[in-house]
Amino acid sequence: MVEYGDASPEVRQVYDDIMATRKTDSVNNFWKALARHPATLRRTWDDIKQVMAPGTLDALTKELIYLAVSATNQCPYCMASHSASARKKGMTEEMLGELLAVVGMANETNALAAGYRVEIDQQFRNGT
Amino acid sequence: MVEYGDASPEVRQVYDDIMATRKTDSVNNFWKALARHPATLRRTWDDIKQVMAPGTLDALTKELIYLAVSATNQCPYCMASHSASARKKGMTEEMLGELLAVVGMANETNALAAGYRVEIDQQFRNGT
Amino acid sequence: MVEYGDASPEVRQVYDDIMATRKTDSVNNFWKALARHPATLRRTWDDIKQVMAPGTLDALTKELIYLAVSATNQCPYCMASHSASARKKGMTEEMLGELLAVVGMANETNALAAGYRVEIDQQFRNGT
Amino acid sequence: MVEYGDASPEVRQVYDDIMATRKTDSVNNFWKALARHPATLRRTWDDIKQVMAPGTLDALTKELIYLAVSATNQCPYCMASHSASARKKGMTEEMLGELLAVVGMANETNALAAGYRVEIDQQFRNGT
Amino acid sequence: MVEYGDASPEVRQVYDDIMATRKTDSVNNFWKALARHPATLRRTWDDIKQVMAPGTLDALTKELIYLAVSATNQCPYCMASHSASARKKGMTEEMLGELLAVVGMANETNALAAGYRVEIDQQFRNGT
Amino acid sequence: MVEYGDASPEVRQVYDDIMATRKTDSVNNFWKALARHPATLRRTWDDIKQVMAPGTLDALTKELIYLAVSATNQCPYCMASHSASARKKGMTEEMLGELLAVVGMANETNALAAGYRVEIDQQFRNGT
């Protein structure tokens, strides 16, 4: 992991932007790991900043979606860091409970649809 | 698939409840496939009805979470049927775009976290 | 796909063994696709023959396990071909129903365990 | 995690049923985590009790299927807790070995089928 | 899908860049689908162009890696479009065969490692 | 885990071959875990030796492909042990960075392709 003190100017610039955007004075291990490949650090941070910014979906809803993917993928780091972000943005214990209930059901019914090889209904065939 | 005309009374009862709850006059192929094992049909429908009902999270947010899991799992049936439900509940094209952008990023960063074996930060160690 | 008539002697030898072992006079598309890389065809067939042969677990139980993985991975080809093998070995409609019910539940609870970041109980720490 | 002493009456009722059903005097961490959202605890326990009960498939076969899904999904908690349950129900070391051999092969051939984009054979097209 | 004739100027600009970079006169369905959310189209194309460009790893090796992920994730579209790109960049039938053999083995041994809950060896504990 | 001193002759034979092939004097935990089921140990080692040997793809490229799958599957053991092998075979920090950048992008675009239900282009329909 690349600590601030050891970072190149281009990495520090990203770290500074992360801390300024998130109003914190430290950078998570995820970014310190990506800093081993500065192009990936730069690109990933720029993308995350764009994608997670509030739009038609608010910032909390986006965090909930992020958590849904991370629980499905069994990513312990992502659950740990993003459940903290989600709480900062207003996720309550009850919201987490409802979120995970839906995530659990979706994983269950995804497997059932594959297991029974359910054919797509005529009226759903024209795209998402 | 079990059609209404061929269904046992216990299966019909579930079909009737699905149509009444969803205010439609037909039942999706998913349920017609589950009807091959009536206990699974009954249990899954009761669970979905409970879990997807609006609570602290509204019904549309729950559909977005459901879609996030289904895109991650590469479940074509689930994307097809639930993007239709999500649209009925108000999902716009822009919302779908933002949803999938987050889903894509989450899948990317989940893989990066695993690939770099990022250690969980001290401050995130005490549970979700 | 490599058809029998166009196959090299080494590929034909595997095809012959598949047909003799399975008591059929044709070879599934899966093997015809693998035949594009004869070393993979040979190795995969030898492995499958060894692994799926009845042992402490009978041949049907092994097919059920195979189906559990394939539904979880959303593999349409694998569900299609192995549900046929399972039926040949005695899988009834009720067994399929119970199998998929367990597969669905396992996928649900796997996601819940990840989502809540459940810590492994002291008594379960000493290996599988 | 919600300990028995701190649990609400509705959570205790589930805990009591878990301990009575499993003939133990403690509750696994999984349930203590779900107890943070009592509706999920209640529903998941009722479902697991129904789905894992012996039917056409016996209780041990169901545990093996559960383990097959959990190894595929890389769920460490689920492997830990359910391999213990499976052993209680009679899983031997040899059974575990054969189970995991099948799980490994299925994951391998699932990837090969996707990689070669194998087309479903005509005779397997009519449903699971 | 957004066809060139119906595209906004910002979408056309990306389409033009895709066709110029790839030296073709048409755009794949993937990009026509992303064009429904122009910010995602722009960002994803810029990222792909940066990430897939030859670096320390050549362009073909990067396509092989891309295919390895897509076969693992059971993504039919991604296998279809990227096996075509890989062939253009020099992937032979033998290379595809060796690639998929490794992908298959990795999926098998990943499941075995999870199934046996293999502990990380002391000498591998210090990061990737 | 089965240590050398406690191993049966057939297990020792595999351990000896692993150490000779890899020019080391110890065996990784993965093999010590598989040794609990000697047939799986034997088969998996023979397969790995065949599949990972340099062919049209060199040994390093094969390790990169292996890592791509393991990061996608969130397999911590596999990332740990195979990133060590890859480094031994010449993987530099920059190569790892480029590898994971591609792996991340592939996971992102796989999810986007599923989420938008992108139809396979006419020209890609004839197989991998």
Side-chain angles (χ1 to χ4, degrees), chain B:
Chain B
M1 295 203 302
V2 182
E3 299 298 336
Y4 194 91
D6 309 320
S8 67
E10 72 180 307
V11 165
R12 278 193 193 186
Q13 201 181 22
V14 179
Y15 284 6
D16 287 339
D17 192 27
I18 292 172
M19 292 187 286
T21 306
R22 302 204 158 162
K23 298 181 186 26
T24 56
D25 57 1
S26 72
V27 160
N28 292 349
N29 287 349
F30 179 70
W31 304 111
K32 291 182 188 165
L34 293 200
R36 291 161 57 183
H37 194 246
T40 299
L41 174 69
R42 171 90 268 163
R43 182 175 47 77
T44 308
W45 168 245
D46 286 349
D47 287 352
I48 279 275
K49 206 164 66 159
Q50 180 193 325
V51 166
M52 300 301 282
T56 305
L57 302 180
D58 59 41
L60 174 55
T61 301
K62 291 187 170 187
E63 288 289 349
L64 297 178
I65 292 164
Y66 194 100
L67 289 173
V69 172
S70 303
T72 298
N73 281 338
Q74 298 277 337
C75 182
Y77 184 83
C78 314
M79 279 309 299
S81 62
H82 279 266
S83 62
S85 325
R87 287 198 191 281
K88 266 201 206 163
K89 289 176 184 156
M91 182 178 75
T92 62
E93 182 69 18
E94 175 63 21
M95 283 176 185
L96 175 67
E98 295 187 12
L99 164 72
L100 292 179
V102 176
V103 168
M105 279 308 297
N107 276 286
E108 179 175 28
T109 54
N110 282 196
L112 289 170
Y116 279 114
R117 299 169 60 201
V118 186
E119 218 179 321
I120 295 182
D121 306 69
Q122 196 57 52
Q123 76 267 32
F124 300 147
R125 294 215 178 129
N126 292 324
T128 299

Side-chain angles (χ1 to χ4, degrees), chain A residues 99-113:
Chain A
L99 163 71
L100 293 178
V102 176
V103 168
M105 279 308 298
N107 276 286
E108 179 175 28
T109 54
N110 282 196
L112 289 169

Side-chain angles (χ1 to χ4, degrees), chain F residues 1-122:
Chain F
M1 294 202 302
V2 182
E3 297 299 335
Y4 193 91
D6 309 320
S8 68
E10 70 182 308
V11 165
R12 278 193 194 187
Q13 202 182 21
V14 179
Y15 284 6
D16 288 338
D17 192 27
I18 292 172
M19 292 186 288
T21 306
R22 302 207 158 158
K23 299 181 187 21
T24 57
D25 58 1
S26 74
V27 159
N28 292 349
N29 288 350
F30 179 70
W31 304 112
K32 292 183 190 164
L34 292 200
R36 292 161 57 182
H37 194 246
T40 299
L41 175 68
R42 171 90 269 165
R43 182 175 49 76
T44 308
W45 168 245
D46 287 348
D47 288 353
I48 278 276
K49 206 163 65 158
Q50 181 194 325
V51 166
M52 299 303 282
T56 306
L57 303 180
D58 59 41
L60 175 55
T61 302
K62 289 186 172 188
E63 288 290 350
L64 298 178
I65 292 163
Y66 193 101
L67 289 172
V69 173
S70 303
T72 299
N73 280 339
Q74 298 278 338
C75 182
Y77 183 84
C78 314
M79 279 310 299
S81 62
H82 280 267
S83 61
S85 326
R87 286 199 191 279
K88 267 202 206 163
K89 290 177 183 155
M91 182 178 75
T92 62
E93 182 68 19
E94 174 64 20
M95 283 175 185
L96 175 67
E98 295 188 12
L99 163 72
L100 293 179
V102 176
V103 168
M105 277 309 297
N107 276 285
E108 180 176 28
T109 54
N110 282 196
L112 288 170
Y116 279 114
R117 300 169 59 200
V118 186
E119 219 179 320
I120 295 182
D121 305 70
Q122 195 58 51

Side-chain angles (χ1 to χ4, degrees), chain E residues 51-80:
Chain E
V51 166
M52 299 302 281
T56 306
L57 303 180
D58 59 41
L60 175 55
T61 302
K62 290 187 171 188
E63 288 290 349
L64 298 178
I65 292 164
Y66 194 100
L67 289 172
V69 173
S70 303
T72 299
N73 281 338
Q74 298 278 338
C75 182
Y77 184 83
C78 314
M79 279 309 300

Side-chain angles (χ1 to χ4, degrees), chain D residues 26-70:
Chain D
S26 73
V27 159
N28 292 350
N29 287 350
F30 179 70
W31 304 111
K32 292 184 190 163
L34 292 200
R36 292 161 59 183
H37 193 245
T40 299
L41 174 68
R42 170 91 267 163
R43 183 175 47 77
T44 308
W45 168 245
D46 287 348
D47 287 354
I48 279 275
K49 207 163 63 159
Q50 181 193 324
V51 166
M52 299 302 282
T56 306
L57 303 179
D58 59 42
L60 175 55
T61 302
K62 290 186 172 188
E63 287 291 348
L64 297 178
I65 292 164
Y66 193 102
L67 288 172
V69 172
S70 303

